[in-house]
Amino acid sequence: MNKFLPAPIVATIFGAVLAMLLTACEPAIEPIDTAVELGPDPHSYANYEQVRVEHLSLALAADFSDRTLTGHVTLDLAQDDLAERLVLDTWKLSIRDVNRVGPDGELQPLSWRLVEPDAESEYLGAPLVVAMERGVEQVRIDYTTSPEAFGLQWLDGQQTTSGEPFLFSQSQPIFARTWVPLQDTPAVRYTFDAEITVPDDLMATMGAAGNPTEINADGVYEFNMPQPIPSYLMAIGIGKLDFQATGPRSGVYAEPSLVEAAAEEFSELEAMIDAGEELYGPYRWDRYDLLILPPSFPFGGMENPRLSFITPTVIAGDKSLTALIAHELAHSWSGNLVTNSAWQDLWLNEGFTTYFENRIVEALYGPERAEMEATLDRIGLQEELKELDDAEQVLARDLSGQDPEQAFNGVPYDKGRLFLLWLEDSFGRETLDAFLRQYFDHFAFESIDTEQFIAYLEANLLPKDPDAVTMEQVREWIFEPGLPEYAVLPASGAFDKVDEWRRQWLDGEIELNEIPVDEWTVSEWRHFLLKLGDRLSAEQMAAMDAEFGLTGTGNVEILYLWLVRAIETRYEPGIARLEQFLLEVGRNKFTRPLYEELAATDWGRAWAIDVYQRAKPGYHPLTRQAAERALGIDEQTGTE
Ligand code: BES
Ligand code: ZN
């Protein structure tokens, strides 16, 4: 290039490129190498193979008027060889200062740079590079989060039932870096302590020990986490919260108006922990509480250790949706205790958990309910597989260069579960259970990848019955698309009856009041509504509504399927309910497909955009992103 351009221009271009690469927040004390690369985890810039965070101390204050967390984090480091740099993950953090903490706690400035995010993968954020001097054991970073942090949702008083503001985090998969500068990879585990300052009348809770049971007059709360966790399990929730115990080591946190209903709905929490221990060994996190979030929480549940975060939409009044609690609890073994070391191994977390969840449901509610729930998921998976390309159907899926959000489809969950069900069928329950118990013990508090699991399986399960399965079959499950033809598919006899009632009604052979719905579980309702097909008319919807009162159902799983049918048939009372639902609930599992369904109709897109614009202020950034994609709204400008 410099053959053709005069030197001053080359220098200018060079300077501009350098300025683009380096955000000069702070003059460097000494030159610093800002070249970064992705490590064995393609979603983290952290150089954790050279230097590892072992403990983290947080001191943060929540400011609801600016929607920021401000304070500092101190990282305790361990190094094998002397590392020259510490590279941390961050996303839109404003870094004020980076210091070395000396033996007596004195601070000495270190050189640091925030590297400009890569345009192709902005979701990975901006690596923070810190020059390490000899013998640095502790680094303190003073910073403030961005109001746009994906890992935090700030709600004001109008958006909560208590009328007080609320903040909650969602760190999985790579959003911890939006509120703490750290090694944001599940390959690294650390313990932590935290001091959190909040407005006087609010309570702070964390996925940690030390959760209060009452609001504290000075607004300062202290936590510690003695068990080492990966960053995606960092969690904070702040609001006007009450606590109600459900047992000696369990309870629920919720806004005052909801706490009683939540404690009643989840009164079996303690029994679920016992069932989990019975299956796969001791619960190693001391307490297990639930934090019930406002309805804008973008997920059903998040397995934050010691304190799972739960959508209020599963409070159905009849304990019919508690499989979700069983799921988040099961992660206390599969996921939180033995952790996927990168997001391509997500099935080790979610597949094992989905299998385990169903075993807890079976232990508490019996095999019929468990079988029905497993069958619905299996049918859902088979439908989903038709829409996915081959790469997306693989359990251990290469995600380099892709947003890790891509990993979260039904495959790691339900194909993962079917893999374990096949092992159960091949070796017998007792043998598989003993193997799983041993697996959780062996890898407790470690992060592992798919190959480590396969090697462990080959050494410890296959010899139990050398004729049961082959390694080729195991590899087919894990590395090939689709379902092997020898898969064992859950099927529920109860659904055959539902199919027959539905057919008879649609064919005009019987009246709706002849269907014995009083005996139906939520799963039977779901199965009924799922398969109504496209023969339905708005008149038939009205007839069903008159008979069963579905527009007014308090069960969110039934309501969701009913609303999908209402969109298909343009059934007006259902559409009115849909508007109310979209304005209130931000759970992506429901909002995304509802917006997609609407966008696919000739009348629905404009209507949905109008509803979305009104709902948007109350939505989580993740819900907004998914809805905007569904509706074809430009994510930057918010226009069509
Ligand atoms: N770990 C997930 C939540 C999650 C999903 C976080 C995707 C980040 C990205 C949690 O354990 C989960 O799977 N929740 C499900 C419920 C479950 C019963 C399938 C959910 O939220 O719907
Ligand atoms: Zn899960």
Side-chain angles (χ1 to χ4, degrees), residues 172 301 303 327-328 331 349-350 353-354 413:
Q172 193 183 16
E303 65 269 28
H327 179 98
E328 304 316 334
H331 273 304
N349 279 16
E350 297 297 350
T353 296
T354 305
Y413 287 80

Side-chain angles (χ1 to χ4, degrees), residues 248-467:
R249 52 177 170 172
S250 62
V252 296
Y253 289 86
E255 286 203 301
S257 65
L258 212 59
V259 74
E260 227 174 279
E264 175 53 30
E265 193 79 15
F266 308 130
S267 65
E268 294 149 327
L269 199 51
E270 199 76 28
M272 283 192 174
I273 308 172
D274 295 341
E277 291 191 308
E278 190 69 32
L279 284 165
Y280 300 127
Y283 178 77
R284 307 210 199 198
W285 307 86
D286 310 323
R287 286 196 60 84
Y288 185 66
D289 296 311
L290 304 178
L291 173 61
I292 313 302
L293 296 169
S296 66
F297 182 50
F299 296 108
M302 176 64 211
E303 65 269 28
N304 296 321
R306 290 167 176 260
L307 183 68
S308 286
F309 284 17
I310 303 294
T311 172
T313 60
V314 289
I315 304 178
D318 59 3
K319 304 182 176 26
S320 57
L321 302 180
T322 50
L324 182 125
I325 308 297
H327 179 98
E328 304 316 334
L329 168 67
H331 273 304
S332 307
W333 288 260
S334 40
N336 300 6
L337 188 61
V338 181
T339 306
N340 53 214
S341 57
W343 299 115
Q344 62 237 17
D345 307 306
L346 177 68
W347 75 280
L348 295 177
N349 279 16
E350 297 297 350
F352 281 59
T353 296
T354 305
Y355 173 79
F356 192 174
E357 161 204 329
N358 204 240
R359 295 292 304 274
I360 296 175
V361 167
E362 183 185 317
L364 262 87
Y365 308 108
E368 285 84 17
R369 173 163 164 182
E371 188 89 77
M372 282 193 261
E373 292 183 2
T375 304
L376 278 174
D377 288 347
R378 184 266 298 166
I379 296 171
L381 174 67
Q382 286 174 320
E383 289 300 313
E384 192 178 351
L385 287 175
K386 293 182 197 158
E387 312 291 319
L388 297 176
D389 63 35
D390 278 3
E392 292 169 323
Q393 300 187 14
V394 172
L395 280 180
R397 174 178 163 202
D398 182 11
L399 290 170
S400 344
Q402 292 181 61
D403 188 330
E405 292 276 302
Q406 301 293 324
F408 290 86
N409 59 30
V411 172
Y413 287 80
D414 295 309
K415 183 176 170 182
R417 172 234 297 264
L418 291 181
F419 169 66
L420 286 164
L421 207 57
W422 169 75
L423 290 178
E424 178 191 311
D425 188 68
S426 307
F427 288 91
R429 236 185 205 196
E430 223 175 293
T431 307
L432 181 68
D433 282 353
F435 166 76
L436 289 175
R437 213 171 297 128
Q438 181 194 350
Y439 162 78
F440 290 129
D441 257 355
H442 183 81
F443 291 112
F445 298 109
E446 287 181 34
S447 303
I448 67 165
D449 64 20
T450 297
E451 288 301 338
Q452 281 169 283
F453 166 73
I454 293 175
Y456 191 78
L457 181 84
E458 186 169 18
N460 296 285
L461 181 63
L462 269 61
K464 298 275 188 273
D465 181 354
D467 302 324

